[in-house]
Amino acid sequence: MDRLVFHIDVNSAFLSWEAARRVANGEPDLRLIPSVIGGDPKKRTGIVVAKSIPAKKYGITTGEPMATAVRKCPGLVSVAPDFSLYVKNSKAFKKICKEYTPSMESFSIDEVFIDMSGMKYIYPDPIKTAYEIKDRIRDELGFTVNVGVACNKVCAKMASDFEKPDKVHTLFPEEIPTKMWPLPVGDLFTCGKSSASKLLAADIKTIGDLANADISFIKMLLGEKQGEHLHKYANGIDESPVTEEVEDAKGYSAETTVEEDLDSIDKINKMLLAQADVVAARMRHDEAKCRCVSVTFRNLDFVTRSHQKKLSESTDVTEVIYDVAKKLILESWNGEPLRLIGLALTDIDREGYEQLSFVVDERKEKMKKLDNALDSLRGRFGDQSIKRASTIDVDKRVNRRHKAEMDNS
């Protein structure tokens, strides 16, 4: 077995982290009662972010309106999100995972891939090691994870999604026909609702049906790239590496999960401007500039896409960053409703160099003065003391999420 990958996924992360905190304080365990992390049930736009297993038994699903969830379960306990708590617990469980290998990829706030290839002399029994990691996280941090063990990332990810919670599962090549192929085709990692609907309409009901279908037919059905991608995944083929986090790549970012879908370019741009305002101000505070701007967005099928642009010169100007972000969205967004939007500034320059020009860019100079004036006012009276008029309705959410998600060192 030349390659070995673990996928470690926190069980109902946001709810588990809140539950662990409450249990430590002598309060009831949210995991044992019908409960959710979500918005105010009285608000039309509030949604379920995470749910307990007892809540799931009432038919409550992630992403559904809180009002609907309460109708299904009148006694439902709802707790507001606490992103600072989530970041704290995320760092804690990832620190434990990192102790077992130098190669770790943070896939999300509550998921990691770790590459255990070549570690057999240190950890000769991979299954025993997976249980050790799982049990350490449970015993030391108070919440549970699932661990998927496989020869590549897609199989490790699929394995970790088998029976939950607090379990270790394997999905090696010889196990694919019995463990993965009988599953509904929509359960295949990265197979969204749109692709699943097309496959079902073509009488491709299981992952096995997809794996054994003629690839030319699948490409015709889903498109060249997506068809090949899903056909490979259905056969357990994935050569993508576990990508380690590089220290120098750290930057400044904000991500916002919205309660009301972002379904227009105007709504998206307002959110991007608010995020640009926040992260650029923080970057200026650290006397840094960025050479790369990227946007990330997630649709209703939980498919996440990113698009980035390298800049010809480093910048810390909010309006310049916002202009780039707008162009990136126009180039990559296909009009589908979004549930998450994010902005990241990377390739950070902390030396303060700037390319000089014999021609003064008056607009850029005005933008710099505006940024400096806003930074000065916020420094004296607080972050919420002044806002751009077009972002008043989104700025508060962005600031809260930004403080939790900031990833600069």
Side-chain angles (χ1 to χ4, degrees):
M1 191 184 301
D2 295 326
R3 195 170 183 222
L4 187 65
V5 176
F6 290 4
H7 179 256
I8 303 167
D9 184 9
V10 179
N11 301 135
S12 301
F14 291 176
L15 189 131
S16 291
W17 290 334
E18 180 64 44
R21 172 167 64 180
R22 294 187 176 215
V23 168
N25 293 332
E27 299 177 47
D29 192 336
L30 292 174
R31 291 165 291 194
L32 303 179
I33 60 175
S35 63
V36 297
I37 302 295
D40 186 342
K42 297 177 183 177
K43 291 184 179 179
R44 183 178 63 83
T45 56
I47 64 168
V48 174
V49 177
K51 61 190 180 299
S52 66
I53 291 176
K56 185 178 180 181
K57 292 178 180 178
Y58 282 86
I60 293 170
T61 59
T62 301
E64 78 170 296
M66 281 297 304
T68 306
V70 171
R71 282 197 294 271
K72 292 177 179 177
C73 179
L76 186 68
V77 174
S78 175
V79 181
D82 182 346
F83 294 106
S84 60
L85 171 70
Y86 306 156
V87 171
K88 176 184 175 182
N89 280 280
S90 175
K91 289 180 178 178
F93 103 85
K94 289 179 182 180
K95 182 179 179 182
I96 290 176
C97 297
K98 187 71 172 175
E99 292 178 18
Y100 289 83
T101 174
S103 301
M104 183 181 81
E105 177 181 339
S106 291
F107 189 62
S108 69
I109 194 171
D110 60 344
E111 298 174 77
V112 298
F113 289 102
I114 61 174
D115 192 341
M116 298 296 289
S117 307
M119 304 294 286
K120 61 183 178 181
Y121 295 111
I122 303 174
Y123 306 109
D125 186 339
I127 309 304
K128 182 180 178 181
T129 303
Y131 273 100
E132 180 181 319
I133 295 171
K134 175 187 76 68
D135 293 345
R136 276 193 62 193
I137 292 170
R138 181 195 62 210
D139 297 341
E140 295 177 24
L141 304 179
F143 54 87
T144 63
V145 300
N146 263 36
V147 183
V149 181
C151 296
N152 58 41
K153 289 165 67 176
V154 68
C155 289
K157 169 68 175 171
M158 292 296 298
S160 71
D161 282 338
F162 293 159
E163 184 192 3
K164 297 181 178 182
D166 199 26
K167 296 286 194 297
V168 171
H169 297 287
T170 62
L171 186 58
F172 294 118
E174 64 275 12
E175 298 175 304
I176 288 173
T178 56
K179 288 187 175 183
M180 188 171 78
W181 282 359
L183 297 175
V185 72
D187 286 0
L188 181 64
F189 179 50
T190 71
C191 182
K193 289 182 181 178
S194 176
S195 295
S197 296
K198 292 176 183 177
L199 291 166
L200 288 170
D203 203 34
I204 296 173
K205 299 176 181 179
T206 67
I207 296 176
D209 292 339
L210 174 57
N212 293 291
D214 184 89
I215 190 169
S216 60
F217 174 69
I218 300 301
K219 288 181 179 180
M220 182 183 68
L221 198 64
L222 303 179
E224 188 80 17
K225 188 174 180 181
Q226 181 72 348
E228 182 175 4
H229 166 76
L230 289 181
H231 193 264
K232 281 185 175 181
Y233 271 18
N235 282 283
I237 300 170
D238 178 19
E239 298 174 356
S240 63
V242 173
T243 308
E244 299 173 45
E245 294 178 346
V246 181
E247 192 71 22
D248 290 342
K250 289 188 176 181
Y252 302 79
S253 68
E255 273 190 1
T256 309
T257 301
V258 295
E259 294 178 337
E260 185 175 350
D261 297 342
L262 297 173
D263 54 9
S264 71
I265 197 68
D266 181 59
K267 289 180 182 179
I268 292 171
N269 284 344
K270 280 185 178 181
M271 188 65 72
L272 285 173
L273 177 55
Q275 292 177 336
D277 215 11
V278 170
V279 294
R282 178 60 178 157
M283 187 170 63
R284 289 192 295 270
H285 178 271
D286 291 348
E287 298 182 353
K289 297 182 180 182
C290 69
R291 295 192 187 90
C292 184
V293 176
S294 64
V295 294
T296 299
F297 51 92
R298 182 175 299 150
N299 65 17
L300 303 188
D301 288 341
F302 289 92
V303 175
T304 304
R305 297 185 180 88
S306 297
H307 192 31
Q308 68 177 31
K309 178 179 176 59
K310 290 279 186 179
L311 308 180
S312 57
E313 60 179 292
S314 58
T315 186
D316 61 2
V317 180
T318 297
E319 199 70 26
V320 172
I321 292 165
Y322 173 53
D323 285 344
V324 174
K326 285 194 296 183
K327 290 176 182 175
L328 290 172
I329 281 292
L330 283 175
E331 291 171 1
S332 55
W333 181 56
N334 63 9
E336 60 190 345
L338 304 180
R339 64 171 64 235
L340 174 146
I341 191 80
L343 175 68
L345 312 180
T346 55
D347 197 358
I348 301 301
D349 174 11
R350 302 187 186 277
E351 302 300 324
Y353 298 127
E354 183 172 359
Q355 184 174 328
L356 298 178
S357 172
F358 292 108
V359 180
V360 177
D361 187 335
E362 293 185 3
R363 180 173 178 268
K364 186 176 179 181
E365 292 303 313
K366 286 180 181 179
M367 291 188 294
K368 283 185 176 181
K369 289 179 181 178
L370 173 61
D371 285 341
N372 290 336
L374 293 175
D375 291 349
S376 177
L377 288 169
R378 288 167 178 154
R380 291 174 62 190
F381 303 111
D383 287 344
Q384 299 299 311
S385 61
I386 187 167
K387 304 174 185 177
R388 297 173 190 260
S390 62
T391 68
I392 287 175
D393 58 340
V394 298
D395 187 65
K396 187 175 180 181
R397 277 184 293 167
V398 171
N399 269 280
R400 181 185 68 228
R401 187 61 180 258
H402 157 77
K403 289 173 183 175
E405 297 276 346
M406 179 57 70
D407 62 354
N408 64 300
S409 53

